[in-house]
Amino acid sequence: MSNLELSIMFLLELAVILLVGRLTGLAMRRLGQPQVVSEMIAGVILGPSLFGVLWPEAQQWLFPMKSASMGILYAVSQMGLVLYMFCVGVEFRGDLLRKSAKSAVMVSGAGMLAPFVLGIALAWMLYRETSLFKEGIGFGTAALFMGAAICITAFPMLARIIYERRLSGTKLGTMALAAGSIDDVAAWCVLALVLAISGKQAHPIVREILGDDANVAIVAIGGGVIYAVVMWLIAPMVLAPFVKVTEKRKDLTPGHLTFVLMMVMVGACYTDVIGIYAVFGAFIFGACVPRGLFAQELQRKIEPLTTTLLLPLFFVYSGLNTKIGLVNTMWLWMVAGLVLAASCMGKGLACYAAARFNGSDRREAAAVGALMNSRGLMELILLNIAYDDGLITQTLFSILVIMAIVTTLMATPIFEWAYGKKRDELAAEARAT
């Protein structure tokens, strides 16, 4: 296929992806679901689970696996993912951790420990009884991965719900945002550890610099720590002049935006080379960006195009790897049910109990549990990294995608059921006073 044919095919794929994503969004919006849920479902619709069943010839023609066009789709989707994770990092607020430290640590601890233990128990059962993990993966690696997969939270979706419901300054909003951010950082650290000890060979660039005997775990963990420390120390100083100019002009200059994008790509490239994937570099750099108008302008200019044009490609690429038809026995559906039950009990109920213990009433505690139980995009990122790295089979990938979609679908309805009435009562009281 020539370059011209590849570009035409990619543009056609992009048009179909955007159309299906938007139509799915219109349908799901009537059910009160956010756009991210629609795009997750749209990805599965365009994959072999639905489109491939209803019209396999057309699905294979439009999204031919192991072809050059899929390479383009993957590369562009990764660029969108890197930019999105940078925006998530910019949105990360360390001040919330200090403001609501006690309650956040308690809720976060419960939301990490309980699902992590259940994830290890699931890994023990699946590792011994099935072949859902790739050959050569040790039990310790499998257990750590399942723990991370069960305990991760959809922090960006949680933040959107809190913002849209005007709960940012409330006890509930502060506690949920702080707890969600702690959970996600901890889960990403566990994933980085899993990738570091999974036994893969170091990147060719690393082997060229450090030799063929370079220890993958030391390079990944040590290189990641060095990168985080350097960014934490250097990024605020380097960006300080940009912050002053932005505050003076009340706008972000094209040159400053270009420099920031360059740094995002360099950081993503570095963490990818050392073995902990590009998303970590983008997120860490975003978390080190000075807060204020400069950070707000970065989000305003980067996030819209990223979320509407580039990120849907990632959902479709995930959907192309999701084959629900592989879950084709009663045993596998029982496994899927156990994974879903462990996810909900370990995350939702544990966070509910911790919030109640910390003094929240039942409605607030249920709202916290619903928000923390959502997996959303964060889960898909984790699963794609694990699948690309050869940790899990396509069957386990599909089971965990089902869990991610169901827990994300549950979040908004349960939140509205639990907290909607109380929110209306508080609003009425505020109007009365």
Side-chain angles (χ1 to χ4, degrees):
M1 188 178 291
S2 68
N3 290 337
L4 178 60
E5 291 173 325
L6 283 174
S7 64
I8 292 173
M9 177 61 73
F10 174 71
L11 292 174
L12 179 59
E13 291 170 346
L14 183 56
V16 172
I17 290 168
L18 295 176
L19 175 63
V20 174
R22 185 51 53 185
L23 292 176
T24 307
L26 292 174
M28 297 304 294
R29 195 178 304 160
R30 295 179 177 273
L31 302 177
Q33 294 291 345
Q35 183 64 25
V36 64
V37 177
S38 307
E39 290 171 349
M40 291 173 69
I41 295 174
V44 176
I45 288 173
L46 289 173
S49 298
L50 185 60
F51 188 19
V53 172
L54 299 177
W55 196 357
E57 295 83 6
Q59 201 273 339
Q60 283 298 311
W61 176 81
L62 187 59
F63 300 107
M65 299 302 291
K66 297 181 180 180
S67 67
S69 64
M70 285 298 99
I72 296 174
L73 183 65
Y74 174 80
V76 178
S77 73
Q78 291 303 298
M79 182 178 69
L81 195 57
V82 164
L83 291 174
Y84 183 77
M85 287 303 293
F86 170 72
C87 292
V88 172
V90 171
E91 199 171 19
F92 180 80
R93 293 180 57 187
D95 61 310
L96 289 177
L97 305 184
R98 296 185 292 271
K99 183 178 178 181
S100 187
K102 181 181 176 182
S103 58
V105 169
M106 188 174 295
V107 172
S108 175
M112 281 290 297
L113 182 61
F116 200 85
V117 171
L118 290 175
I120 292 174
L122 282 171
W124 181 83
M125 181 188 72
L126 300 178
Y127 188 81
R128 293 178 179 276
E129 301 296 334
T130 66
S131 57
L132 294 177
F133 293 97
K134 289 290 183 70
E135 187 177 351
I137 299 300
F139 172 71
T141 302
L144 286 173
F145 165 75
M146 285 301 296
I150 296 296
C151 72
I152 201 166
T153 294
F155 176 76
M157 178 178 171
L158 183 154
R160 288 293 181 276
I161 293 176
I162 294 295
Y163 174 77
E164 289 172 2
R165 269 62 175 185
R166 298 180 180 179
L167 299 171
S168 298
T170 65
K171 175 186 174 183
L172 168 66
T174 303
M175 178 171 60
L177 285 170
S181 62
I182 295 172
D183 269 18
D184 269 9
V185 169
W188 286 119
C189 289
V190 172
L191 179 61
L193 179 63
V194 171
L195 296 173
I197 65 176
S198 61
K200 65 177 181 179
Q201 194 176 28
H203 192 278
I205 296 178
V206 174
R207 297 203 306 273
E208 182 69 25
I209 297 173
L210 301 179
D212 293 335
D213 296 329
N215 186 289
V216 178
I218 293 176
V219 170
I221 296 174
V225 170
I226 292 172
Y227 175 77
V229 172
V230 170
M231 283 294 107
W232 182 62
L233 294 174
I234 301 300
M237 290 190 295
V238 172
L239 297 176
F242 297 179
V243 173
K244 292 180 180 179
V245 172
T246 302
E247 290 176 350
K248 184 178 180 179
R249 292 169 51 97
K250 304 300 181 184
D251 192 16
L252 185 68
T253 69
H256 292 169
L257 178 60
T258 301
F259 180 84
V260 170
L261 291 175
M262 179 194 71
M263 290 300 299
V264 172
M265 299 307 161
V266 169
C269 181
Y270 170 79
T271 51
D272 214 350
V273 167
I274 65 174
I276 55 174
Y277 278 83
V279 293
F280 293 98
F283 174 81
I284 291 171
F285 178 54
C288 296
V289 169
R291 296 305 183 258
L293 182 62
F294 180 69
Q296 294 170 10
E297 284 297 299
L298 282 174
Q299 279 192 294
R300 187 178 69 84
K301 291 182 180 296
I302 296 174
E303 193 168 2
L305 189 65
T306 300
T307 54
T308 57
L309 179 65
L310 301 177
L311 202 57
L313 302 182
F314 173 76
F315 287 107
V316 169
Y317 192 83
S318 299
L320 296 177
N321 288 322
T322 303
K323 293 184 178 180
I324 297 177
L326 293 175
V327 189
N328 54 9
T329 66
M330 187 62 68
W331 163 252
L332 289 175
W333 278 110
M334 187 178 76
V335 169
L338 286 173
V339 168
L340 180 60
S343 301
C344 294
M345 289 189 297
K347 196 75 174 178
L349 293 182
C351 290
Y352 169 84
R356 288 284 289 158
F357 183 80
N358 196 57
S360 298
D361 60 33
R362 291 180 180 177
R363 289 186 178 276
E364 280 189 351
V368 170
L371 292 173
M372 295 290 287
N373 189 49
S374 172
R375 284 2 184 248
L377 175 62
M378 296 295 101
E379 181 75 18
L380 292 188
I381 296 172
L382 183 147
L383 295 181
N384 276 272
I385 289 175
Y387 183 72
D388 291 341
D389 208 58
L391 297 178
I392 57 177
T393 64
Q394 198 169 26
T395 303
L396 182 55
F397 177 89
S398 300
I399 288 173
L400 290 171
V401 167
I402 293 172
M403 179 271 287
I405 292 175
V406 173
T407 55
T408 308
L409 279 169
M410 293 166 58
T412 303
I414 294 178
F415 176 84
E416 288 296 332
W417 171 79
Y419 198 73
K421 185 177 180 180
K422 179 172 181 176
R423 185 187 59 217
D424 295 340
E425 291 172 353
L426 292 175
E429 291 176 5
R431 286 194 298 269
T433 56

